[in-house]
Amino acid sequence: MNDKDYEARILDLEAQVKVLQEANVKLISRNMQLGQMVDAYYDVRRRIEMLKDLVIRHKELLKEADLRDDDELMAVIETRLEESLCYTNPDFGLKELADLIGTTQTRIVELFRRSTLHKSLDDYLDYLRLLRSMFFLQTESSWSIAACAQEAGFTVIRSFNRKFQDAIGMTPHEFRLLCENNKID
């Protein structure tokens, strides 16, 4: 190899070294970015675990509060039932409510025993269903009365008519007519 070839080879190798050094700098930079991303990921995971623990502790505190105070328990019941509308399921009852709010069936029975407004959970659920049926009777004029009752959670139309008459003082049909006559255009 002569001197010119040797110098050309050295220049070529120096150029390759420079390219490799630049690639190395890029890789180091990328590794640093990935390291920061991994750190951020683990930080987020740690925060999520902390929040999960807080939620669990909050739920436990709510359960304990529910067990002590009737008003708080009733507020929790009302809120959860309105959010979920599960009372429109005719099979919804004591067990399902206890599961929904995270308390015992005994506690719910005791609550309604002491209640001055509703004698039992069934009375309360009928009350909610009647309110829902009234809403449907007012807003869904194309629905039959039976459909309004069924959507509200009643399975027997005769029972619905009787409960509606007892609670409102008129039949569902009379109520619907009253609503239609008093509509504001």
Side-chain angles (χ1 to χ4, degrees), residues 105-177:
Q105 294 178 32
T106 304
R107 178 64 181 102
I108 295 170
V109 170
E110 289 171 3
L111 170 74
F112 283 100
R113 255 192 215 134
R114 287 191 293 273
S115 173
T116 56
L117 189 57
H118 304 287
K119 297 176 208 137
S120 68
L121 174 62
D122 289 336
D123 286 344
Y124 180 64
L125 294 175
D126 282 344
Y127 164 76
L128 292 176
R129 290 172 180 146
L130 283 170
L131 289 176
R132 189 108 178 118
S133 69
M134 291 170 67
F135 171 76
F136 290 138
L137 289 167
Q138 289 176 331
T139 59
E140 303 297 337
S141 58
S142 63
W143 290 8
S144 68
I145 290 174
C148 292
Q150 188 174 16
E151 283 297 313
F154 289 97
T155 54
V156 180
I157 190 70
R158 203 177 252 175
S159 172
F160 165 70
N161 285 331
R162 181 181 45 78
K163 289 177 183 181
F164 196 96
Q165 174 82 37
D166 291 347
I168 310 301
M170 62 181 78
T171 67
H173 180 72
E174 292 169 337
F175 178 79
R176 178 174 262 173
L177 287 175

Side-chain angles (χ1 to χ4, degrees), residues 26-41:
K26 287 180 183 176
L27 285 174
I28 290 171
S29 174
R30 179 70 178 144
N31 281 343
M32 289 175 63
Q33 289 173 347
L34 289 174
Q36 290 171 347
M37 290 170 67
V38 167
D39 289 345
Y41 169 78

